[in-house]
């Protein structure tokens, strides 16, 4: 789920740019970590433990009880049977622009724009006169990634032979699709930017 947009606070002349990301957990494969068929690959999947399973071959986990050495022909668990943690991140951009310094009109432009019988220089401008164009723009912005500092974990270890099976050993990237700039990209990050336009 993605949500984004631009909201303007007219009184403060502040722009708000929220960007919210949510995704359900991603599937991952659960394997025994053993090479029981001699193909050199340690990617065999277990079977679901039954009452006939040797207790020495049973691995009890939060994902279920598994038989690490299933008999020939015994149905194995489906691929990507595990489900990792979900992802949630609220990001927000805040900006405010300050414009100053009128652009001087050229004499030819001023003369062409002045109607016959115009008020002399120094007289008050008409109420409906357009605002003069500004020459400079100073924009101050703050970009906040993971505003709520939510801990978003990566998929856990799916090897049943590992003592850390089922544990997430790293965090997801800034948007849940992998690293995004640094090892701590999943933590809250605040960037301040100042831009001068002329």
């Amino acid at each position: 789920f993605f949500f984004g947009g631009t909201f303007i606070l007219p009184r403060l002349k502040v722009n708000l740019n929220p960007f919210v990301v949510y995704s359900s957990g991603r599937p991952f494969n659960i394997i025994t970590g053993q090479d029981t068929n001699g193909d050199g690959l340690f990617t065999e999947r277990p079977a679901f433990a039954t009452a006939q399973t040797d207790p020495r071959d049973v691995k009890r986990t939060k994902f279920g009880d598994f038989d690490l050495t299933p008999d020939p022909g015994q149905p194995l668990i489906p691929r990507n049977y595990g489900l990792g943690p979900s992802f949630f991140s609220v990001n927000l951009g805040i900006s405010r622009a300050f414009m100053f310094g009128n652009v001087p009109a050229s004499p030819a432009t001023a003369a062409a724009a002045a109607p016959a019988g115009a008020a002399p220089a120094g007289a008050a401008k008409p109420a409906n006169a357009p605002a003069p164009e500004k020459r400079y723009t100073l924009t101050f912005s703050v970009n906040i990634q993971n505003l709520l500092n939510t801990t978003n974990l990566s998929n856990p270890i799916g090897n049943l032979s590992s003592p850390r099976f089922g544990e997430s050993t790293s965090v997801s990237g800034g948007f849940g699709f992998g690293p995004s700039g640094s090892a701590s990209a999943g933590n809250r990050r605040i960037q301040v930017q100042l831009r001068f336009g002329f």
Side-chain angles (χ1 to χ4, degrees):
F1 169 80
F2 296 91
F3 171 79
T6 299
F7 300 91
I8 301 175
L9 305 180
R11 291 181 179 272
L12 301 177
K13 298 181 179 180
V14 171
N15 291 348
L16 302 178
N17 301 99
F19 182 61
V20 180
V21 183
Y22 171 80
S23 68
S24 58
R26 292 171 292 163
F28 67 97
N29 212 15
I30 295 178
I31 59 175
T32 64
Q34 303 173 9
D35 179 20
T36 55
N37 57 12
D39 62 357
L41 300 177
F42 294 78
T43 57
E44 277 82 342
R45 299 192 309 279
F48 292 109
T50 65
Q52 288 74 37
T53 303
D54 189 331
R56 294 172 297 180
D57 296 330
V58 175
K59 181 76 172 184
R60 300 184 184 277
T61 73
K62 62 181 179 181
F63 301 97
D65 298 339
F66 301 109
D67 183 349
L68 298 180
T69 57
D71 296 327
Q74 185 176 352
L76 304 179
I77 68 171
R79 287 184 174 87
N80 292 324
Y81 182 75
L83 186 64
S86 60
F87 181 92
F88 178 67
S89 179
V90 177
N91 310 279
L92 179 64
I94 308 171
S95 63
R96 171 72 158 90
F98 301 89
M99 295 179 289
F100 57 95
N102 295 340
V103 176
S106 65
T109 304
K125 292 191 302 182
N128 59 352
E133 183 182 356
K134 300 300 181 181
R135 174 179 290 184
Y136 308 111
T137 303
L138 187 65
T139 305
F140 180 79
S141 60
V142 178
N143 297 302
I144 308 172
Q145 182 178 343
N146 195 3
L147 175 66
L148 304 179
N149 205 29
T150 306
T151 301
N152 293 299
L153 300 176
S154 62
N155 269 359
I157 295 174
N159 189 339
L160 290 167
S161 297
S162 171
R164 305 196 67 177
F165 171 81
E167 296 182 20
S168 297
T169 57
S170 63
V171 295
S172 296
F175 295 104
F177 308 126
S180 60
S182 71
S184 60
N187 297 332
R188 181 192 294 126
R189 300 176 69 187
I190 302 176
Q191 297 175 329
V192 179
Q193 183 179 28
L194 187 65
R195 185 177 62 190
F196 179 62
F198 57 93

